[in-house]
Amino acid sequence: MATLPKIMICGGPRWAHDEVDKLFDGIAKVIVDDAPNRPEFFARFQLGGPYEGTVGIYRRNVSAARIGIYDRELISGLPPSVKWIAHNGAGYDLVDVQACKEKGIHVSNTPGAVDEATATTALYLILSTLRHFSKAERSLHAGTWKAPISSGDTHDLSHRTLGILGLGGIGLCLAQLVHVFPMRVLYYSRRQRTDVPAWCEYVESVEELCARSDVLSIHVPLREETRNFVGERQIRAMKRGSIIVNTARGKVLDEEALIRALEDGHVRVVLCWRVMMTMPVPDVQLASVGLDVFPDEPRVNPRLLEFPQNVLLPHIGTRSQDTERKMEVRAMTNLRDFLLTGSGKDLVPELR
């Protein structure tokens, strides 16, 4: 009887336990990594060790607590037998793809599986920053009812302009959600798409997108060329009093430039004609931000907490049972496809 190839579960699935058995039954021998640290992880690949001969790895971020991220050192320490890493996640910045490329290891991710959950998270951040729902809830819990909430600072979504930076699966899902209100949708991607609704209007540059948007929602992957992709110049191109939402990666957005834009400006006085009184209205570059991601997670810059209108979430964009199951199954299906055909449909762009 032929020996089955060996695959490793590095960070067990939270929901798709039955699917593991079904996907790999009769195709592969499944082993579970439980090495307590990186040196022991490497040691178990040695001749006669339990990980010897592993050809593919399913990777979940939770494994980083034991063996660290899949950086160059870890990739370099993998044996030549490893040919595929199935990363569970749409973002794959915790895997050194260049090191994998040099070593002849393919890397897949899980695009599509995260679209709905991440888009609805972005929608919540848009709603809450425009309407101050998060601030209002905190006020209720504090026993101050709606005293801190001013209609002068809040707005409806209808007929406002949403700029989507990166119209991939998540961006397009968000566009379809906000079109219901309706919001006007602009987008910028590396190239104009021909397979999207006509009401998704393409613009020629990031700066033009920023200048024309009331809300900018970021949906680009973190790569070396996208670090601080939205920085001082792009933020200053935005309308005063606009909003930025980020559900991509924290390092795509220049945090220092973001905070400066929240801080600067002056207070202007406007006449409220209904009650014939003056009201101070902050005339700042950014009215608020909605963030689900941060540059140095789980640390959050305390200066962001100084703005009560900000909406900050602890990176929960894909934290739902349904989406996590879809991600787990999709990642393992890529690994199964590799075993059966030598390829997988979700190979990351750098390795195609």
Side-chain angles (χ1 to χ4, degrees):
M1 183 177 177
T3 302
L4 294 176
K6 188 183 294 183
I7 64 163
M8 174 191 292
I9 304 296
C10 187
R14 184 178 280 126
W15 305 107
H17 302 287
D18 293 340
E19 287 86 343
V20 174
D21 297 332
K22 294 176 182 177
L23 284 167
F24 299 111
D25 183 37
I27 297 173
K29 178 181 178 181
V30 179
I31 62 173
V32 177
D33 164 51
D34 59 357
N37 52 54
R38 183 171 289 194
E40 179 63 22
F41 178 73
F42 288 148
R44 295 183 183 186
F45 283 104
Q46 300 303 311
L47 186 65
Y51 300 169
E52 180 194 2
T54 297
V55 300
I57 299 174
Y58 162 87
R59 179 197 180 272
R60 188 168 153 241
N61 285 340
V62 67
S63 65
R66 294 181 293 105
I67 63 173
I69 64 173
Y70 275 43
D71 55 13
R72 178 169 288 275
E73 180 193 49
L74 188 144
I75 299 302
S76 297
L78 294 175
S81 61
V82 175
K83 296 299 181 184
W84 197 282
I85 296 173
H87 172 65
N88 179 6
Y92 48 91
D93 48 290
L94 299 184
V95 179
D96 191 324
V97 173
Q98 182 58 36
C100 289
K101 184 176 182 178
E102 294 168 7
K103 201 174 176 71
I105 299 174
H106 298 85
V107 180
S108 59
N109 63 337
T110 62
V114 303
D115 290 356
E116 179 183 355
T118 309
T120 53
T121 302
L123 176 62
Y124 165 76
L125 292 172
I126 294 169
L127 280 163
S128 197
T129 49
L130 281 170
R131 293 293 312 277
H132 287 193
F133 286 150
S134 176
K135 182 179 178 182
E137 182 179 10
R138 281 178 271 131
S139 178
L140 184 146
H141 282 283
T144 53
W145 195 232
K146 57 184 175 182
I149 309 303
S150 167
S151 59
D153 298 329
T154 59
H155 303 278
D156 294 328
L157 278 69
S158 298
H159 307 297
R160 293 194 171 268
T161 299
L162 172 66
I164 297 178
L165 181 55
L167 196 71
I170 297 168
L172 182 57
C173 186
L174 176 63
Q176 292 165 335
L177 291 173
V178 302
H179 183 62
V180 174
F181 285 95
M183 291 187 82
R184 182 185 183 189
V185 176
L186 309 178
Y187 78 94
Y188 174 80
S189 290
R190 287 176 294 177
R191 61 188 64 88
Q192 184 174 0
R193 294 185 57 170
T194 58
D195 59 342
V196 298
W199 46 260
C200 288
E201 181 182 343
Y202 178 73
V203 300
E204 297 291 338
S205 69
V206 178
E207 287 73 25
E208 182 184 357
L209 183 73
C210 292
R212 295 174 60 185
S213 299
D214 298 306
V215 181
L216 176 70
S217 191
I218 302 172
H219 302 281
V220 296
L222 176 61
R223 303 189 183 108
E224 193 56 42
E225 64 269 23
T226 61
R227 289 180 184 272
N228 292 336
F229 195 59
V230 178
E232 190 81 33
R233 185 175 65 173
Q234 291 75 26
I235 293 171
R236 295 296 162 178
M238 298 186 72
K239 304 172 186 177
R240 299 192 73 80
S242 52
I243 289 168
I244 292 178
V245 165
N246 188 11
T247 56
R249 285 293 186 267
K251 292 179 181 178
V252 171
L253 178 60
D254 185 334
E255 186 174 75
E256 289 302 313
L258 178 75
I259 292 172
R260 284 193 295 271
L262 285 165
E263 289 175 335
D264 74 0
H266 58 276
V267 174
R268 61 187 171 90
V269 176
V270 299
L271 185 67
C272 180
W273 66 271
R274 286 185 181 274
V275 293
M276 298 302 292
M277 62 180 291
T278 60
M279 296 172 56
V281 178
D283 183 23
V284 293
Q285 184 69 40
L286 290 178
S288 62
V289 296
L291 305 175
D292 185 46
V293 289
F294 304 87
D296 189 24
E297 297 176 5
R299 191 187 75 85
V300 176
N301 191 324
R303 291 162 66 196
L304 289 170
L305 304 175
E306 297 173 5
F307 304 92
Q309 73 273 26
N310 286 351
V311 185
L312 310 176
L313 298 176
H315 203 155
I316 59 168
T318 58
R319 185 57 68 93
S320 78
Q321 180 179 152
D322 308 293
T323 292
E324 287 183 351
R325 184 186 298 276
K326 286 189 290 186
M327 292 167 66
E328 291 166 359
V329 171
R330 183 147 183 171
M332 288 185 286
T333 298
N334 278 312
L335 195 49
R336 180 179 184 272
D337 290 346
F338 159 67
L339 293 173
L340 294 176
T341 69
S343 185
K345 69 177 183 179
D346 292 327
L347 198 65
V348 299
E350 296 93 327
L351 300 180
R352 292 173 189 166

